[in-house]
Amino acid sequence: MKKVLNYLPLHFILLLIVGILTQFYFNLWDFGFIKLLVTLISITILLFVIPQKIIRTFLAFCLFFFMGISAVFFNNDTNYKNYYQHAIKPQSSVILKVQKVLKPSAYHFKYEAIVLQVDTLKTKGKMLLNISKDSILNPLRVDELLYAKPAFVMINAPLNPHQFNYKFYLAKQGIHQQVFLEKEEFKSLGLDQFSLIGVAAKIRDKVQKALQEYNFKDDELAVLNALLLGQRQEISKDLIEDYSKAGAIHILAVSGLHVGILLLILSSLLKPLERLKNGRVLKTILIVLLLWMFAFVAGLSASVVRAVAMFTFLAIGLSFKRKNVILFSLITSMFFLLLFKPMFLFDVGFQLSYLAVFGIVWIQPKLYKVYKPRFKLDDKIWQLFTVSVAAQLGVLPLSLYYFHQFPGLFLLSNLLIIPFLGAILIGGIVIIILALTDFLPQFLAEIYGYIISLMNNFVSWISKQEQFLFTDISLSFLMMFVSYLAIIIGVHFMIKKSTKKLIYFLASLLSIQSVFLFENYQKKHKNELIVFHKSRNSIITNRVGVNVFVNHDLDSLEIKNLNAMVSYQVGENVKSTYSQEFPNILAFKNQQILVVDSLGIYDLNNLKSPIVILQYSPKINLERLIKTLQPTQIIADGNNYKSYINTWEKTCREQKTPFHQTGQNGAYILKE
């Protein structure tokens, strides 16, 4: 462990990460490319010129910190003069290039596209392209060029607290705007010239068409596409939910698990090459080539490229057969990935992959020593068990922080699926090759489809054991951080027990208790009133400590399952009480709140400067209401006609009264 802590790339990667975070969140550097390059070169020169060790160490830290900043700055398209937003004008004509096919929504096909040209100017930059499903019969293809005169619109932030921030998610991928098009609003210009991603997409399309000839069931074909081609668009929502509840969702995404299994299989198959002169080098080269061929067929998606890059370094490292080489290889791969693709740092898949592998590499050998198997089968089961537990320990706090659930039967699903996953992957590759060459017998396709169905049915059965699925778990970022601290110190104590390490471990447990008590205190003393946004409905909540009183007009079952409410309850770790009635007057501390519904009643005695909530499109003279009540704030929720809201907003602007519409500004939150 000491050697790992002294491994220089580990220090460098920590500084690189700090630089990436600093630039992304605070935009520390905004002085142009030339000055940034001069800064990097100057620090590098001083590093080699100055003899004092302490100063050189400080300069080295500064260098890698600025490398993190420069990685984000250079990868941010908005910093370039030819970024398309700098050239867009009303009625500008643009040429778009489809770069990636995304999962469609209920009404639109979705794509990640590049803006190649605005009017006569060559440009760069990515955007989200939405094509109405009613306007085209066939989805667009990767590398397809489109001509249009679109209206670019900003991507909306979430309208309610604790909901998934799609705007932030896309911003981390360099996408800040989107376009909605009907068929008559664009013209296809055919496919662009050669590109690796385009060729990979063509091969993938050819594979999919070949497989469709063999009468696979929809779920079988969808899982086959996900396992081997990295395409999850066709997987049904129910099937994804089943795999998620069973703790086996990682099986459906081509990631480190699949590439790691392929690496083990290839290492075993190519082991005879080691007998040749320089055979180990030849074996490593072949493994790396085959892994990247797999990545190519799988579409060179971000998750596949990350996984293959990680295991490329690992394959090279294993050829040296030195102690800690796996850990060193992982750290080095992470360093180079973040150096060239800094936004990977914010990708949940990237975080989970590395934490799972670090958990396996670091924790599994210690768990394995706890019990000494006597038989070969016993040994294999114990190995798989310890690997699953180690990987789960590596990702548990992070997965609870992001997904708020823990599948209690994850061990059962992993123990029974992962041993056969290698055979399923190899079998799938054979099936694809035979299908492409028209040599695939129908009975073989049916056998393979039956195996996939067995796996799906088993996962579905696991997911239905809901008593073992722990959901709605609330975990803050601070609690996640101290949990990882306790896991790291606890494992370190297990490796080499000492009084000093025991004290550290007990201190880490004390930090968890302290965070728990601090957050519990905050939760009990937090009060707020929220007017949520829900189209065609009204939801007003009054929170007092851990209790939330919800007034709403939805069905009693619908309100409990409403995403906005579930997200808020889990995020804040509170309990809700529901009522389908709206009082005319609410009180929040010393602030009076008047609710004006369709009856339009507001002339109430002793009402002084209230906050007014408008719902159900009341037919009122708002100017008269303002003069009568002199409200401090007027709020229009999602249950009002848009024409009414526009009129009210204009009136409030003329009367200089603050106006808030939830459909545009998001939920209104009144805090203590």
Side-chain angles (χ1 to χ4, degrees):
M1 187 66 188
K2 190 175 180 181
K3 286 184 179 180
V4 175
L5 293 175
N6 291 330
Y7 186 50
L8 280 178
L10 177 61
H11 303 164
F12 296 156
I13 199 172
L14 291 175
L15 289 158
L16 188 76
I17 289 171
V18 172
I20 290 170
L21 294 172
T22 302
Q23 181 62 20
F24 182 79
Y25 285 107
F26 304 107
N27 196 27
L28 182 68
W29 189 270
D30 192 24
F31 308 107
F33 294 98
I34 295 175
K35 291 180 180 179
L36 182 55
L37 285 172
V38 169
T39 302
L40 289 170
I41 293 169
S42 300
I43 295 173
T44 305
I45 292 171
L46 289 173
L47 186 62
F48 286 99
V49 171
I50 296 176
Q52 287 85 357
K53 187 176 180 181
I54 295 177
I55 298 176
R56 289 178 65 189
T57 302
F58 174 74
L59 287 171
F61 289 167
C62 289
L63 177 63
F64 284 93
F65 172 74
F66 272 97
M67 286 175 72
I69 287 175
S70 62
V72 176
F73 192 81
F74 280 101
N75 277 273
N76 187 352
D77 289 335
T78 62
N79 293 324
Y80 293 83
K81 290 182 179 179
N82 62 340
Y83 181 57
Y84 73 89
Q85 276 187 276
H86 302 327
I88 287 291
K89 299 175 184 176
Q91 294 300 310
S92 285
S93 59
V94 301
I95 294 178
L96 308 174
K97 177 181 175 180
V98 176
Q99 189 176 41
K100 186 178 180 181
V101 179
L102 305 175
K103 192 175 182 68
S105 65
Y107 304 106
H108 294 93
F109 293 113
K110 289 181 173 289
Y111 308 91
E112 181 183 298
I114 305 171
V115 184
L116 294 179
Q117 187 173 313
V118 175
D119 295 325
T120 58
L121 298 173
K122 299 291 183 183
T123 57
K124 67 184 301 181
K126 295 188 290 186
M127 45 79 73
L128 182 65
L129 175 61
N130 302 274
I131 305 291
S132 174
K133 283 186 174 179
D134 296 333
S135 65
I136 57 174
L137 295 175
N138 298 314
L140 303 178
R141 295 168 291 172
V142 173
D143 277 353
E144 189 163 353
L145 298 175
L146 305 179
Y147 173 84
K149 291 186 177 182
F152 287 85
V153 294
M154 299 301 292
I155 295 164
N156 294 327
L159 294 175
N160 293 306
H162 293 287
Q163 285 193 301
F164 175 67
N165 194 333
Y166 191 51
K167 180 177 182 178
F168 184 63
Y169 169 77
L170 290 177
K172 290 182 291 186
Q173 300 178 51
I175 299 173
H176 304 284
Q177 290 189 314
Q178 62 180 332
V179 162
F180 293 88
L181 293 176
E182 300 289 337
K183 183 179 180 181
E184 62 275 7
E185 294 177 324
F186 71 90
K187 179 181 179 182
S188 177
L189 303 178
L191 297 180
D192 194 14
Q193 298 175 353
F194 172 84
S195 76
L196 284 176
I197 295 177
V199 172
K202 287 178 183 177
I203 293 173
R204 201 164 53 246
D205 290 341
K206 190 174 181 181
V207 169
Q208 289 175 330
K209 287 178 181 177
L211 291 174
Q212 288 170 359
E213 299 293 325
Y214 290 90
N215 301 320
F216 286 103
K217 295 178 183 177
D218 289 344
D219 281 346
E220 295 171 357
L221 191 58
V223 171
L224 184 55
N225 283 329
L227 282 173
L228 294 160
L229 303 177
Q231 300 298 296
R232 295 173 58 177
Q233 292 93 332
E234 302 302 322
I235 300 179
S236 66
K237 186 178 179 180
D238 291 339
L239 191 59
I240 287 181
E241 190 174 336
D242 285 346
Y243 273 83
S244 179
K245 288 181 177 179
I249 191 66
H250 52 283
I251 291 171
L252 294 181
V254 178
S255 59
L257 173 64
H258 304 72
V259 180
I261 289 172
L262 285 177
L263 175 60
L264 290 174
I265 293 170
L266 291 172
S267 295
S268 179
L269 292 174
L270 299 176
K271 193 172 181 63
L273 290 176
E274 293 182 7
R275 299 172 188 171
L276 303 174
K277 185 180 180 181
N278 299 321
R280 192 178 296 169
V281 175
L282 178 61
K283 174 188 170 184
T284 303
I285 292 172
L286 284 173
I287 288 174
V288 171
L289 286 174
L290 290 169
L291 288 180
W292 281 103
M293 284 176 64
F294 175 73
F296 182 76
V297 174
L300 294 173
S301 65
S303 61
V304 177
V305 170
R306 283 197 309 265
V308 173
M310 179 199 302
F311 283 96
T312 294
F313 278 91
L314 188 58
I316 294 170
L318 287 172
S319 65
F320 292 101
K321 291 190 174 181
R322 291 184 181 178
K323 193 176 180 181
N324 290 324
V325 70
I326 296 177
L327 208 50
F328 291 158
S329 299
L330 289 172
I331 293 170
T332 305
S333 69
M334 183 188 289
F335 176 79
F336 281 103
L337 276 173
L338 291 179
L339 186 61
F340 293 103
K341 291 288 184 181
M343 293 300 103
F344 278 173
L345 179 64
F346 303 98
D347 193 287
V348 178
F350 176 87
Q351 297 167 12
L352 292 174
S353 292
Y354 270 97
L355 285 171
V357 177
F358 275 122
I360 292 169
V361 171
W362 190 39
I363 300 174
Q364 191 271 340
K366 285 73 187 175
L367 288 177
Y368 181 75
K369 291 178 182 178
V370 173
Y371 167 68
K372 293 182 179 179
R374 297 176 59 186
F375 307 103
K376 191 171 182 179
L377 179 61
D378 188 18
D379 181 58
K380 292 295 182 185
I381 294 173
W382 179 242
Q383 279 185 16
L384 188 59
F385 177 83
T386 54
V387 164
S388 296
V389 171
Q392 195 65 41
L393 279 174
V395 303
L396 181 59
L398 190 68
S399 60
L400 290 178
Y401 173 70
Y402 281 124
F403 307 119
H404 311 296
Q405 68 176 25
F406 176 71
L409 294 178
F410 77 93
L411 276 174
L412 180 59
S413 57
N414 282 278
L415 284 171
L416 292 178
I417 293 176
I418 291 179
F420 303 102
L421 189 57
I424 291 172
L425 289 174
I426 295 299
I429 292 171
V430 171
I431 290 290
I432 286 174
I433 293 171
L434 292 176
L436 286 172
T437 55
D438 293 328
F439 284 111
L440 177 61
Q442 181 62 40
F443 80 90
L444 197 60
E446 291 175 359
I447 292 172
Y448 189 78
Y450 179 71
I451 292 170
I452 297 293
S453 289
L454 278 179
M455 182 172 72
N456 290 343
N457 292 336
F458 172 71
V459 167
S460 179
W461 178 81
I462 290 284
S463 71
K464 287 179 173 58
Q465 313 310 308
E466 295 188 357
Q467 64 271 30
F468 296 102
L469 179 66
F470 306 97
T471 59
D472 299 342
I473 300 171
S474 180
L475 193 75
S476 68
F477 180 84
L478 184 58
M479 183 61 81
M480 178 193 71
F481 179 80
V482 295
S483 298
Y484 271 118
L485 190 67
I487 290 173
I488 292 168
I489 295 173
V491 172
H492 202 38
F493 171 66
M494 284 174 53
I495 295 170
K496 195 174 181 181
K497 297 178 179 65
S498 68
T499 305
K500 187 177 180 181
K501 290 176 182 176
L502 176 60
I503 293 171
Y504 288 153
F505 179 57
L506 294 175
S508 68
L509 295 180
L510 184 62
S511 69
I512 290 178
Q513 291 178 318
S514 300
V515 170
F516 175 78
L517 292 173
F518 171 71
E519 292 182 346
N520 205 39
Y521 174 83
Q522 280 192 321
K523 183 173 65 174
K524 287 181 178 179
H525 290 80
K526 186 173 183 179
N527 300 313
E528 61 184 10
L529 183 139
I530 303 177
V531 181
F532 281 81
H533 177 75
K534 176 72 170 71
S535 181
R536 301 185 187 86
N537 293 103
S538 294
I539 303 171
I540 303 173
T541 66
N542 190 357
R543 174 179 174 177
V544 181
V546 297
N547 298 308
V548 179
F549 302 94
V550 183
N551 300 101
H552 67 96
D553 58 1
L554 287 86
D555 178 79
S556 57
L557 183 62
E558 185 182 357
I559 186 67
K560 291 180 181 178
N561 295 321
L562 188 68
N563 180 264
M565 291 308 305
V566 172
S567 298
Y568 178 77
Q569 288 170 185
V570 174
E572 295 287 333
N573 195 15
V574 291
K575 296 179 180 179
S576 296
T577 303
Y578 301 96
S579 172
Q580 290 181 307
E581 295 180 357
F582 288 99
N584 292 114
I585 297 179
L586 295 167
F588 183 80
K589 297 301 178 183
N590 297 322
Q591 177 66 60
Q592 292 177 313
I593 300 162
L594 172 66
V595 180
V596 180
D597 58 18
S598 58
L599 297 176
I601 299 173
Y602 63 85
D603 192 7
L604 302 174
N605 296 327
N606 302 319
L607 204 60
K608 297 180 180 179
S609 302
I611 292 175
V612 176
I613 301 174
L614 303 174
Q615 58 179 205
Y616 302 112
S617 304
K619 295 179 179 179
I620 57 171
N621 186 322
L622 190 62
E623 184 177 344
R624 186 187 303 162
L625 181 149
I626 292 172
K627 289 179 179 179
T628 303
L629 301 179
Q630 297 182 347
T632 57
Q633 176 80 56
I634 292 180
I635 305 161
D637 69 7
N639 199 2
N640 291 289
Y641 296 132
K642 196 165 185 179
S643 58
Y644 281 36
I645 293 174
N646 293 335
T647 303
W648 293 336
E649 185 174 19
K650 183 180 178 181
T651 302
C652 286
R653 192 163 50 245
E654 292 171 352
Q655 298 297 316
K656 297 181 180 179
T657 301
F659 182 77
H660 183 105
Q661 57 165 307
T662 60
Q664 181 175 315
N665 308 117
Y668 179 82
I669 303 175
L670 181 63
K671 295 185 178 181
E672 187 178 11

